[in-house]
Amino acid sequence: AQTVTQSQPEMSVQEAETVTLSCTYDTSENNYYLFWYKQPPSRQMILVIRQEAYKQQNATENRFSVNFQKAAKSFSLKISDSQLGDTAMYFCAFMKPPFQGAQKLVFGQGTRLTINP
Amino acid sequence: NAGVTQTPKFQVLKTGQSMTLQCAQDMNHEYMSWYRQDPGMGLRLIHYSVGAGITDQGEVPNGYNVSRSTTEDFPLRLLSAAPSQTSVYFCASGSQRYNEQFFGPGTRLTVL
């Protein structure tokens, strides 16, 4: 079974700084999908960024980028120029290629990120 | 589009009571699922459905039932609530084209 580990339960940085959240996973699959979700105090789960394992290029979305190291099974999220609105719980998630339509996400434990003014 | 909607937002039950958490999506997604979120454990898959009339168990299915009679709706039933089911419940629907899921706003359930 796949497992996802986020080793940083909490992090705190100053506004405008860059912060990196760590995620490692365990799988025997060669192709899969990785995601970072943001959960602000409103509780809504928001997709931040996704990476497909067969793509070597790291995904980027504005201030958010990932460092995907397939051999090391590592998928870290970098937030540049952090803003107060980035304060949230961040979850790393893994998904095998859908089998018969099933898209099962496996989540890490989450990292609580606080951006200080 | 309303996306994924869930009702109620909050619910308090007594041990042994039953209830249904409602979930609906208007994106014509075939895949729908239920997760529970507990402190320090991330989200865990309860049940999922790949289309109307087709459901299957996830990682933590005990104590929960589901059915899928339409593409839009995927209710989650607690037949006899237990304190261990106190959690936040999320419904999600998935696009097969893009292999990504969209989550509802969640339901906070407390079982006394």
Side-chain angles (χ1 to χ4, degrees):
Chain A
Q2 285 73 28
T3 58
V4 178
T5 302
Q6 295 178 247
S7 58
Q8 304 152 312
E10 295 187 18
M11 296 186 71
S12 178
V13 298
Q14 296 299 119
E15 192 175 9
E17 288 183 347
T18 294
V19 59
T20 299
L21 281 59
S22 301
C23 173
T24 59
Y25 56 93
D26 185 26
T27 184
S28 58
E29 303 284 335
N30 186 49
N31 193 24
Y32 44 86
Y33 301 87
L34 295 163
F35 305 89
W36 279 99
Y37 281 89
K38 170 185 178 181
Q39 187 180 45
S42 67
R43 199 169 68 197
Q44 181 70 50
M45 293 287 288
I46 302 165
L47 178 63
V48 174
I49 200 166
R50 54 176 280 157
Q51 175 81 39
E52 294 163 13
Y54 67 86
K55 292 185 177 179
Q56 293 187 352
Q57 187 172 7
N58 289 327
T60 62
E61 288 287 344
N62 300 314
R63 297 182 296 108
F64 298 86
S65 61
V66 299
N67 183 6
F68 173 50
Q69 301 289 328
K70 191 173 183 179
K73 297 180 182 175
S74 171
F75 183 60
S76 60
L77 174 70
K78 185 172 82 171
I79 306 174
S80 303
D81 186 25
S82 58
Q83 301 174 358
L84 297 179
D86 295 332
T87 292
M89 193 77 153
Y90 286 81
F91 291 97
C92 178
F94 170 99
M95 187 177 80
K96 291 195 301 184
F99 177 69
Q100 295 181 338
Q103 304 174 1
K104 302 181 191 179
L105 286 169
V106 177
F107 285 87
Q109 305 93 322
T111 295
R112 186 174 302 280
L113 176 65
T114 301
I115 309 299
N116 298 306
Chain B
N1 285 351
V4 181
T5 58
Q6 290 183 239
T7 55
K9 286 186 168 51
F10 301 93
Q11 183 70 49
V12 178
L13 292 178
K14 295 181 179 178
T15 297
Q17 286 185 317
S18 63
M19 79 159 296
T20 299
L21 306 184
Q22 301 292 344
C23 174
Q25 54 94 6
D26 61 358
M27 296 174 282
N28 202 31
H29 289 163
E30 292 193 354
Y31 183 76
M32 296 186 75
S33 56
W34 278 101
Y35 293 85
R36 60 177 288 173
Q37 181 181 13
D38 300 297
M41 299 186 73
L43 281 74
R44 291 180 293 167
L45 182 63
I46 305 172
H47 284 284
Y48 65 94
S49 170
V50 299
I54 306 170
T55 63
D56 206 344
Q57 297 180 352
E59 180 186 357
V60 288
N62 292 342
Y64 308 95
N65 280 353
V66 292
S67 60
R68 182 110 177 259
S69 56
T70 67
T71 298
E72 294 78 20
D73 300 299
F74 190 44
L76 178 72
R77 297 182 185 84
L78 285 72
L79 298 179
S80 179
S84 61
Q85 294 178 305
T86 293
S87 189
V88 178
Y89 291 85
F90 287 95
C91 178
S93 73
S95 157
Q96 288 189 3
R97 180 175 181 183
Y98 297 107
N99 286 321
E100 64 183 66
Q101 294 184 42
F102 300 87
F103 284 80
T107 295
R108 180 176 293 278
L109 175 68
T110 301
V111 183
L112 303 176

